Amino acid sequence: MSLGLREYTQAECYSALEEARFGHLACCKDSQPYVVPIYFSYDNGVAYCFSMPGRKLEWMRENDKVCLQVDQRVGGGWASVIVEGRFEEFPDADVGRSQRLHAWELLQKHSDWWEVGSLKPKELPVLAESPHVFFGIFVHALSGRVVFRSD
């Protein structure tokens, strides 16, 4: 038995994004990369996400170029998809409300979508408005590879 490697087609990349719920989001500030695990739901060119304020949001607000990596086990090997994209926040205001509601609609289909995104290591003060942030990663380019076992 030997290993093989091949490029994923664009259709396979999109299919992997549609099936995935978990990935790693990379952002960069002042030439320093930062990578975090994140839940998301993919739909029609956008990976929809949810978070509390923090470093990743601060950095993405300053530099909207981001990368999302998703991997999955495939048979006796693995597949990985890399998304190059642009961050966009969906505020709870007229301009972003429809995207925010669409993000919530997609994410809430999974029972644990909000848990990690709503937690912080320290207790936060109670605020008049929710600090929760919905945002999207708009796909500009994507690529993928799969490692497989062959007889």
Side-chain angles (χ1 to χ4, degrees):
M1 193 175 289
S2 63
L3 290 177
L5 174 71
R6 72 171 179 81
E7 298 288 327
Y8 251 4
T9 65
Q10 291 289 290
E12 288 171 315
C13 289
Y14 284 114
S15 178
L17 286 177
E18 289 168 357
E19 293 173 18
R21 289 191 43 242
F22 179 79
H24 292 89
L25 179 64
C27 52
C28 190
K29 178 181 171 186
D30 301 327
S31 300
Q32 176 61 53
Y34 182 60
V35 178
V36 294
I38 193 162
Y39 285 114
F40 69 93
S41 284
Y42 176 81
D43 183 46
N44 199 28
V46 182
Y48 291 92
C49 310
F50 166 81
S51 181
M52 291 288 282
R55 183 189 301 188
K56 76 176 164 293
L57 286 172
E58 291 170 14
W59 286 27
M60 291 189 300
R61 287 170 176 158
E62 286 190 34
N63 178 0
D64 67 353
K65 294 178 183 172
V66 296
C67 184
L68 176 65
Q69 184 271 336
V70 174
D71 56 58
Q72 57 188 180
R73 301 292 289 171
V74 178
W78 54 263
S80 177
V81 174
I82 304 292
V83 173
E84 296 174 34
R86 179 184 53 80
F87 159 81
E88 184 177 318
E89 194 168 334
F90 306 135
D92 194 16
D94 290 341
V95 176
R97 183 163 287 133
S98 65
Q99 286 281 45
R100 183 182 180 95
L101 290 174
H102 185 61
W104 178 83
E105 204 173 82
L106 291 172
L107 290 164
Q108 64 85 31
K109 291 178 183 178
H110 307 285
S111 62
D112 59 357
W113 70 272
W114 58 271
E115 290 177 354
V116 175
S118 66
L119 298 174
K120 281 294 188 187
K122 299 175 194 163
E123 194 167 320
L124 297 173
V126 176
L127 303 171
E129 292 183 4
S130 171
H132 304 113
V133 177
F134 287 89
F135 64 94
I137 305 303
F138 287 76
V139 177
H140 286 271
L142 75 164
S143 61
R145 289 184 175 177
V146 61
V147 171
F148 58 92
R149 296 193 185 278
S150 61
D151 296 330

